[in-house]
Amino acid sequence: MSNRQPEARLQGLWSDLVPVAATPEGPSAPRGNVLGRIRFTDAPAEATLDDATPLLTTHMTNEHVRPVEEIWRTALPVRTGVADDAVFAEDGEHVFYAVRLGPQPVYRSQVRELYESALEFAWERGYTDLVRMWNLIGGITSPNADGLEIYRDFCTGRAEAFAAFADRFPQLPAATGIGTLSPGVDVCFLAAKPGRAVHLENPRQTPAYKYPSQYGPKSPSFARATFLKDAGAPGSVTGSLFVSGTASILGDDTVHADNVAFQAEETLRNIEALVGGDNLRAHGLDGAGYDVKDLDQVKVYVRDAEHLPVVRNICESTLPADTDISYFNVAVCRPDLLVEIEGVCR
Ligand code: 3EB
């Protein structure tokens, strides 16, 4: 795991990506209390409290990549619980919430209900700044029972839920929408008490919520990144920048449709433009700014297993040697997207 800026790991929220077989225990384990875990492995499971902490298990690994567990931690004491099908943990400043929706012929209404329950939960407990959401979608580019692409079906239900809660959650958070290897949808999110989150767009990309209808009946509901200011320092520009799943999209167009190396490089340029000081200043975050090399806790999603080596090479030559990077061999939300990259800058 990365040891860059270790002091930053004691502020706000932080995570580690660790091999499933070697979860650190004992004195070498990172300090902090576990808020939630996401296990990327070879089969899905219901969201549960495991070892008294929320655990989401998603089918995202096969023979080409290693299973990993992402562990979100906080310095504050944590309280965990169950809310219907969902599990959660909260520390008074942050909440982690996770839920699995099993396979459906059509996802729209169930996704809407899942999202409305999740938003209601966050609102009632006062975690009104959504920070980061993950949407892990089986068969993402396959048709549902009505012939509509499952990603578009999913986006419709999600957009309806956000529309119903627009008075309470007027701003969309950073997110990922990515394929998994089993049917069903796994959703989890991080949210915070109000006043610390700033949502960012990318000057090189059309906001996803403004994508034209050629990409689906309802646009995807997410921002390109969310900056979470450190707790207890709301006026400060120290914090964490949560970078959404980012792909080779300029404006709203996929570029380099048949060249995975160019897609990976374009994606990293998109992240560079997103996290740079100019873009943070444009969003009112004066004095903050990152380089693509500051991206850590990186997840790289590669559609075709044969492309893993070239994408690994590009990521490893762009990012520092001590960067935490995990690779997954899963479909992306447009058939012409071959790679997607996300991470956190501190
Ligand atoms: C894109 O830029 C690529 O639907 O939540 C990236 C991040 C993508 C989040 C989502 C989709 C989502 O449109 C796909």
Side-chain angles (χ1 to χ4, degrees), residues 23 40 42 46 54 68 84 91 109 196 229 261 281 292 300 310:
T23 307
F40 301 90
D42 59 3
E46 298 304 310
V68 292
D84 298 322
D91 70 0
S109 63
R196 293 169 55 207
K229 296 174 185 178
R281 239 182 330 278
V292 68
V300 181
V310 62

Side-chain angles (χ1 to χ4, degrees), residues 115 132-135 137 140 151 154-155 158 173-178 205-206 208 211 219-224 244-249 332-334 337 340 342:
Y115 256 83
R132 184 64 169 94
M133 306 188 97
W134 286 271
N135 306 286
I137 303 167
I140 189 164
Y151 178 60
F154 168 87
C155 282
R158 176 176 59 173
T176 292
I178 197 73
Q205 299 187 299
T206 306
Y211 281 171
S219 307
S221 315
F222 71 96
R224 299 296 176 182
S244 292
T246 305
S248 182
I249 294 174
V332 186
C333 66
R334 294 182 188 179
L337 288 175
E340 186 170 306
E342 65 174 66

Side-chain angles (χ1 to χ4, degrees), residues 1-6 9 14-19 22-31 66 69 71 73 296-298 320-326:
M1 79 198 60
S2 169
N3 287 316
R4 281 184 284 152
Q5 298 182 307
R9 293 178 164 264
W14 67 96
S15 75
D16 290 296
L17 281 162
V18 300
T23 307
E25 297 296 345
S28 67
R31 286 166 291 176
R66 293 204 326 262
E69 193 167 294
I71 307 174
R73 295 174 201 273
D296 206 350
Q297 304 308 125
V298 183
D322 65 351
T323 307
D324 263 5
I325 314 183
S326 292

Side-chain angles (χ1 to χ4, degrees), residues 23-259:
T23 307
E25 297 296 345
S28 67
R31 286 166 291 176
N33 305 308
V34 175
L35 204 57
R37 293 179 290 153
I38 308 158
R39 187 175 291 168
F40 301 90
T41 186
D42 59 3
E46 298 304 310
T48 57
L49 291 182
D50 174 82
D51 224 354
T53 61
L55 175 66
L56 185 68
T57 302
T58 190
H59 184 183
M60 288 187 58
T61 64
N62 56 17
E63 67 273 25
H64 302 290
V65 297
R66 293 204 326 262
V68 292
E69 193 167 294
E70 181 172 19
I71 307 174
W72 285 95
R73 295 174 201 273
T74 163
L76 299 169
V78 167
R79 193 182 79 79
T80 64
V82 174
D84 298 322
D85 294 343
V87 292
F88 68 91
E90 60 180 329
D91 70 0
E93 293 290 341
H94 316 97
V95 68
F96 174 86
Y97 178 104
V99 63
R100 170 171 173 80
L101 173 63
Q104 308 291 324
V106 174
Y107 283 92
R108 175 182 177 171
S109 63
Q110 302 259 33
V111 165
R112 178 181 175 156
E113 278 177 33
L114 180 156
Y115 256 83
E116 290 193 353
S117 298
L119 295 174
E120 187 72 48
F121 175 92
W123 183 263
E124 279 176 0
R125 286 169 190 258
Y127 298 100
T128 55
D129 275 0
L130 299 174
V131 176
R132 184 64 169 94
M133 306 188 97
W134 286 271
N135 306 286
L136 314 172
I137 303 167
I140 189 164
T141 53
S142 301
N144 70 9
D146 291 340
L148 180 67
E149 184 188 72
I150 287 176
Y151 178 60
R152 297 175 182 213
D153 180 10
F154 168 87
C155 282
T156 305
R158 176 176 59 173
E160 288 171 349
F162 272 113
F165 279 74
D167 53 338
R168 285 169 277 182
F169 295 99
Q171 304 241 50
L172 298 166
T176 292
I178 197 73
T180 69
L181 301 171
S182 288
V185 175
D186 305 305
V187 173
C188 63
F189 71 84
L190 294 162
K193 291 287 171 74
R196 293 169 55 207
V198 177
H199 307 290
L200 282 76
E201 289 301 323
N202 189 323
R204 304 179 93 219
Q205 299 187 299
T206 306
Y209 56 85
K210 292 185 184 169
Y211 281 171
S213 58
Q214 73 185 88
Y215 300 108
K218 293 280 184 186
S219 307
S221 315
F222 71 96
R224 299 296 176 182
T226 297
F227 187 77
L228 181 66
K229 296 174 185 178
D230 285 339
S236 92
V237 288
T238 61
S240 303
L241 181 61
F242 294 82
V243 175
S244 292
T246 305
S248 182
I249 294 174
L250 292 177
D252 61 66
D253 298 317
T254 299
V255 294
H256 320 300
D258 46 17
N259 189 317

